[in-house]
Amino acid sequence: MDALLGTGPRRARGCLGAAGPRSSGRAARTPAAPWARFSAWLECVCVVTFDLELGQALELVYPNDFRLTDKEKSSICYLSFPDSHSGCLGDTQFSFRMRQCGGQRSPWHADDRHYNSRAPVALQREPAHYFGYVYFRQVKDRSVKRGYFQKSLVLVSRLPFVRLFQALLSLIAPEYFDKLAPCLEAVCSEIDQWPAPAPGQTLNLPVMGVVVQVRIPSRVDKSESSPPKQCDQENLLPAPMVLASVHELDLFRCFRPVLTHVQTLWELVLLGEPLLVLAPSPDVSSEMVLALTSCLQPLRFCCDFRPYFTIHDSEFKEFTTRTQAPPNVVLGVTNPFFIKTLQHWPHILRVGEPKMSGDLPKQVKLKKPSRLKTLDTKPGLYTAYTAHLHRDKALLKRLLKGVQKKRPSDVQSALLRRHLLELTQSFIIPLEHYMASLMPLQKSITPWKTPPQIRPFSQDDFLRSLEHAGPQLTCILKGDWLGLYRWVDCGCSLSLPWSPGSAPRPCLPVPRVSPVALPVRLQAQPRGPACLSPGSALWPCLSVPRVSPGALPVNPHRRFFKSPHFDGWYRQRHKEMALKLEALHLEAICEAVREAGGWGGPEHGGGGHRPRAVGGLADSRPHLTLQNIETWMKDKSEVEVVDLVLKLREKLVRCLPALSQHH
């Protein structure tokens, strides 16, 4: 089996069974390489079976030249089977997320950049983690020594398309369990003919005689808009199986037992608090965790999350250690052993067996952590956290009325998703407005001086701005909105969690989270005492290092300014503003040349028109001609000419990549 699966580094995919040169990651892959289209959707397909002597064992990896490390193979084996406490009989679908071993082996591949630049932040390819989508079957079989047939078919991908891959597994897995390898080979060949994922386009994906029609959302789609109508169905025979979404779960079904605490859970997720979800089965666990991580859209979820986690995972010690504070992770488990191991975690959600009756299930109760029992823990949200916002009773009444009237679950989910979207937008809009106010005045941008710096973020100034521009203006929900923003632990003053001499930490690229435009002319804001400036030695990292629990004050609920979500949002917004500033400076330089020598009118062959704006950035490349530069140079010294050339070169290098994305 090791000869089939391989234990060394992965190599570029070639024809099945063919020996090819080894390489690390996918750097050697070219668009024309075999399995290139397959790998645009999936990394590989795995089959995990139960061996009486070995336990869970990896039976097959397809394509058979895709290499997994020993640690990755072990993780897939354990995460693809429910643990002994679940007792899953029949067919069960769930998902997991695991870390790539040996570092990031495909850093910003060209295909990733093209796709990620157009996809919403929640649907971008994972750079350092794999998603596993599992179809597990356990049925009685007298021909097997153990008395049960136990096998899992797993799709491994870096795309978070849970709805699409679950639908794909429901077509593939039953057929595979009957016909085995030949069926799997045919399916993989069909996937290798699919078009590449293209945000904003309707795609027809044929597999096993069925055409699955999907539309991957685009970054420019409006969050509140309904999915566009599917097209080109009349030319497809048989009629396509249309998926309304490639990633959205039935949010109402996932949150049915916790509807009365949805806002409390939203706050915990927003603040990046450690949260343990203990569920009766992997499918309930994975869906609850994925539903929680989707609550913050359009804000990117920047914390770690594991839809299904076992005691055999290679990161078990990292997550369960008591020598440091619990990590910022939403962890889904099914083994009650975690209640004892992670009883020091501040928030534990215990959910029971799902009930399929038409009535709303009994809601879990809010309980103190001291009532948490190691054995026979009853369903409930065990936390000492007190929600800042009041419960939206009107929403609960509408949802309950929908249950009584047997309203479709997708409509109920739309109501719940709209409510969570409004909460997140109301929270993030004041931050967007304050960040926009840090932009320098356009009149302060001159062609012969270095552009002014973006003013530093001052928490004190921002909190003062909430009095007249806070979430209360856009959200009718009452409560202590200010408490969600504060960087306060038991009344301590703001302090920076790193030293000026510390080494910078790597940052994950966090794409744009809001379409709020940056105004050009803005009033100056005073610089507060607690500032974060990219020009200072403190800029390299905003994240908070882990500290031992003994060093933390009692009930240390971290606020949003200390969460990874603020870290990621602030870095990306500052990056976008810096790029805007560079573009404005480039435009000022070009304007100075235009005023001195003209834009190259008809007599110079230039057409005599001003720069064309592309996506808010001035595209001046076609208008800088040799004639108007020579005219400008007539009365300039050599130092001024060299300075202009160097500035143009520097600005073009910085701005052209951004401009090219808009074409």
Side-chain angles (χ1 to χ4, degrees), residues 118-121 123 198-202 215-228 244 247-248 298 421 425 512-515:
R118 290 161 175 78
V121 293
L123 297 183
Q201 297 184 16
T202 299
R215 182 187 183 276
I216 302 173
S218 170
R219 181 175 294 193
V220 298
D221 292 345
K222 294 183 179 179
S223 302
E224 61 271 21
S225 62
S226 57
H247 69 290
E248 290 180 346
L421 175 66
Q425 287 181 331
R512 191 173 190 171
V513 298
S514 174

Side-chain angles (χ1 to χ4, degrees), residues 180-320:
L180 301 179
C183 168
L184 192 60
E185 183 176 356
V187 167
C188 290
S189 297
E190 284 186 296
I191 296 176
D192 194 38
Q193 303 302 314
W194 287 3
Q201 297 184 16
T202 299
L203 304 176
N204 296 313
L205 312 175
V207 60
M208 298 186 67
V210 178
V211 177
V212 181
Q213 191 170 88
V214 299
R215 182 187 183 276
I216 302 173
S218 170
R219 181 175 294 193
V220 298
D221 292 345
K222 294 183 179 179
S223 302
E224 61 271 21
S225 62
S226 57
K229 297 181 179 180
Q230 307 295 326
C231 56
D232 298 333
Q233 296 187 18
E234 64 277 2
N235 298 327
L236 297 175
L237 292 174
M241 180 177 74
V242 180
L243 292 183
S245 171
V246 294
H247 69 290
E248 290 180 346
L249 296 170
D250 188 340
L251 205 61
F252 178 72
R253 178 172 58 83
C254 296
F255 283 152
R256 277 174 69 97
V258 296
L259 284 176
T260 55
H261 304 298
V262 162
Q263 284 175 206
T264 301
L265 292 170
W266 174 81
E267 289 186 24
L268 293 176
V269 173
L270 178 72
L271 300 178
E273 288 289 310
L275 177 61
L276 177 68
V277 177
L278 178 59
S281 60
D283 55 326
V284 177
S285 166
S286 59
E287 288 193 347
M288 179 62 76
V289 171
L290 292 176
L292 289 170
T293 59
S294 69
C295 286
L296 299 186
Q297 293 181 6
L299 188 67
R300 184 188 184 114
F301 187 85
C302 296
C303 297
D304 197 358
F305 65 97
R306 303 303 167 94
Y308 176 53
F309 191 78
T310 72
I311 60 175
H312 302 285
D313 197 282
S314 59
E315 297 165 75
F316 175 78
K317 290 184 179 180
E318 177 184 339
F319 287 161
T320 58

Side-chain angles (χ1 to χ4, degrees), residues 470-581:
Q472 68 274 9
L473 300 180
T474 57
C475 185
I476 61 174
L477 203 61
K478 303 300 181 182
D480 183 17
W481 283 96
L482 193 63
L484 284 176
Y485 292 102
R486 289 190 183 278
W487 188 346
V488 178
D489 284 342
C490 299
C492 300
S493 60
L494 175 66
S495 60
L496 297 175
W498 60 87
S499 60
S502 59
R505 298 181 182 180
C507 314
L508 289 178
V510 183
R512 191 173 190 171
V513 298
S514 174
V516 177
L518 293 174
V520 176
R521 294 185 176 272
L522 297 161
Q523 296 297 323
Q525 295 289 328
R527 180 172 298 187
C531 301
L532 302 174
S533 173
S536 69
L538 302 180
W539 165 246
C541 181
L542 292 175
S543 60
V544 180
R546 297 173 183 169
V547 296
S548 63
L552 292 171
V554 179
N555 193 18
H557 291 120
R558 290 183 289 270
R559 300 301 187 248
F560 179 70
F561 283 107
K562 295 178 66 176
S563 75
H565 303 311
F566 174 74
D567 183 20
W569 172 85
Y570 181 74
R571 290 177 185 277
Q572 180 60 24
R573 296 299 288 124
H574 192 280
K575 179 181 177 181
E576 292 171 355
M577 292 170 65
L579 182 61
K580 172 72 174 179
L581 198 58

Side-chain angles (χ1 to χ4, degrees), residues 45-49 76 79-82 88-96 132-139 149-156 162 164-178 184 282-283 286:
V45 179
C46 299
V47 177
V48 182
T49 189
I76 290 175
L79 291 171
S80 299
F81 268 52
C88 298
L89 288 176
D91 294 348
T92 305
Q93 286 198 61
F94 59 94
S95 58
F96 61 83
Y133 304 96
V134 183
Y135 193 105
F136 170 72
R137 172 170 289 185
Q138 179 174 253
V139 294
F149 172 87
Q150 294 175 304
K151 190 166 288 192
S152 289
L153 182 63
V154 187
L155 305 181
V156 180
V162 58
L164 171 62
F165 291 130
Q166 283 183 349
L168 189 60
L169 279 170
S170 65
L171 295 172
I172 299 173
E175 191 78 9
Y176 168 74
F177 290 139
D178 292 337
L184 192 60
D283 55 326
S286 59

